[in-house]
Amino acid sequence: STPLLEESLALYRQMNDRWGQSEALLSLSSARLRLAGYLAAKPLWEESLAIKREQGDRRGLADSLAVLGIRAASHNETADAMQYARECYDTYVQISDRASQAEAHWNFGVLMTWAGQYAQAKDSLTKAEALYGELGLRPPALILGNALAMLGQYEAVVAYVDRYMTAVGVTDKKPNEARAYNWLFYAAMARRDYAEARRLSQKSIAAYEACGLTAYAGIGYCFLGVVSLKLADRAPSCGYLEKGLRILQDKNQLGPLGIWLSAPMTAVLLADAGLLEEAIAAFTFANNHPMIANSVWFCEVMGDVIQTVEADLSPVQVARAHKQGRDAEPWQMGAEFLAMVSAIKGGRIG
């Protein structure tokens, strides 16, 4: 709890234990982030980083920077994410051994994926995998498949997943299995093989749930809602999307990023229900985050629906919807998404 973490920090300060202070500050920042938001938590982890720099704790600093880069990206603080990513890379490189060189490229690639910088992510993750291979090691996870999918390189996604999952010695099997189904789902959606996409999304959800990555299963349910619409199976589509939205708000494993990632799928369902301005606002909101704005896949698979909707509205209506989406606050938007989807499901709209 926050009071215990605060007490722990106070004790470390009394003992002048700098390492303990750094770890306590990092833990307290996580609690503060959940309770009070990004700006309230940032001074705590910045103090933690300053102590690690002062102490020359390169490994601890690099590991913390990797976590904080993802934290910044998930809150759409892209400038901070890029800063942490670069320092993380430089810090790993300074450790000098080959494994740390691989970790440098790996963590930079992961952070670039979260920041929506997919070309940089692909380049860095590819280098990391080559370095891990030279050491006889496997990369920690098949994140490269996500970067390839978001770049629209769908044949490469299929080949990569097949190569990764059939190799000997795959570690952390269940999360990687879930990711593999997810990346293959992207490829199936892009080629409009919706029956296969439904099968893959269901398998991805089951694998994510089995390893406790519940928020990612929530995104999977949102995807499943769109697949149901594509298959003209409208009855369960709202239920899937509603379930996904509830998971993302209840579990909060992804922070506000879960709301941004759910927004394109919500936009497609709102458009289908005739809520055209709301659909445009939802998709505009999604594009506030570079993970969606820079994604070929989201543009091709979800964006075409919104382009059609915009053609059916007046310029004034479109401009109004764009402004609403640009100005929206994530958690408020998430609550509105859930309310609208629940209303459609209950027959009160559409």
Side-chain angles (χ1 to χ4, degrees):
S1 69
T2 300
L4 289 175
L5 290 170
E6 290 172 342
E7 183 178 350
S8 173
L9 175 59
L11 289 170
Y12 279 125
R13 290 197 195 280
Q14 288 176 17
M15 294 185 293
N16 199 30
D17 183 334
R18 298 293 280 163
W19 182 89
Q21 289 174 47
S22 178
E23 294 303 302
L25 283 161
L26 201 59
S27 297
L28 183 57
S29 75
S30 297
R32 187 73 57 80
L33 183 70
R34 290 192 298 272
L35 293 172
Y38 187 87
L39 293 179
K42 183 178 178 181
L44 295 173
W45 72 64
E46 287 285 2
E47 185 181 350
S48 173
L49 294 176
I51 293 171
K52 285 184 165 65
R53 294 187 192 103
E54 165 201 307
Q55 298 289 303
D57 180 8
R58 287 178 176 170
R59 175 68 61 181
L61 176 60
D63 291 346
S64 294
L65 286 163
V67 171
L68 296 174
I70 289 175
R71 186 180 289 178
S74 70
H75 285 75
N76 206 10
E77 298 288 344
T78 305
D80 283 354
M82 297 294 284
Q83 176 189 328
Y84 295 142
R86 292 189 186 99
E87 187 179 0
C88 179
Y89 176 86
D90 291 342
T91 305
Y92 273 121
V93 167
Q94 290 166 14
I95 300 173
S96 296
D97 61 86
R98 294 292 283 171
S100 295
Q101 308 300 304
E103 286 183 270
H105 285 291
W106 171 259
N107 281 286
F108 189 79
V110 170
L111 290 173
M112 289 301 96
T113 301
W114 279 71
Q117 308 303 310
Y118 297 116
Q120 290 184 66
K122 176 188 173 183
D123 180 63
S124 200
L125 291 169
T126 301
K127 290 175 181 175
E129 296 210 355
L131 287 166
Y132 280 123
E134 290 173 11
L135 295 167
L137 301 172
R138 303 278 308 162
L142 65 166
I143 305 300
L144 177 55
N146 188 25
L148 294 170
M150 295 301 103
L151 288 166
Q153 298 173 11
Y154 307 119
E155 291 183 8
V157 170
V158 175
Y160 172 73
V161 170
D162 182 65
R163 186 169 64 251
Y164 190 99
M165 296 304 290
T166 56
V168 175
V170 173
T171 58
D172 198 17
K173 185 175 186 299
K174 210 65 181 178
N176 280 330
E177 180 185 334
R179 295 181 186 108
Y181 290 133
N182 201 354
W183 311 158
L184 293 175
F185 162 82
Y186 288 144
M189 286 292 286
R191 65 174 182 266
R192 294 178 170 79
D193 186 349
Y194 299 127
E196 176 66 358
R198 177 166 59 186
R199 185 187 74 84
L200 290 164
S201 63
Q202 290 169 334
K203 292 181 79 68
S204 177
I205 289 166
Y208 276 131
E209 289 178 336
C211 59
L213 295 173
T214 314
Y216 292 95
I219 297 294
Y221 280 112
C222 294
F223 284 143
L224 195 53
V226 170
V227 175
S228 296
L229 283 180
K230 296 291 187 181
L231 290 167
D233 192 9
R234 285 178 168 77
S237 61
C238 282
Y240 289 134
L241 189 59
E242 182 185 44
K243 183 171 184 176
L245 292 171
R246 287 194 187 281
I247 288 171
L248 290 167
Q249 294 198 43
D250 292 344
K251 297 301 180 183
N252 196 20
Q253 290 175 336
L254 291 173
L257 179 60
I259 309 301
W260 277 299
L261 288 173
S262 69
M265 289 75 83
T266 304
V268 171
L269 186 138
L270 294 175
D272 182 75
L275 299 175
L276 305 188
E277 283 194 52
E278 291 84 350
I280 295 169
F283 198 74
T284 302
F285 164 77
N287 279 281
N288 288 339
H289 198 289
M291 283 190 83
I292 293 96
N294 297 341
S295 166
V296 173
W297 186 83
F298 275 108
C299 178
E300 290 180 346
V301 175
M302 309 288 172
D304 61 340
V305 173
I306 305 306
Q307 289 175 356
T308 301
V309 167
E310 290 191 0
D312 292 337
L313 296 179
S314 72
V316 171
Q317 290 173 303
V318 171
R320 184 169 59 215
H322 283 170
K323 185 178 188 307
Q324 181 186 347
R326 284 193 302 270
D327 295 345
E329 188 278 326
W331 291 114
Q332 178 60 36
M333 198 63 153
E336 291 177 11
F337 288 165
L338 186 55
M340 287 188 289
V341 171
S342 297
I344 295 169
K345 180 187 173 189
R348 299 188 299 278
I349 297 177

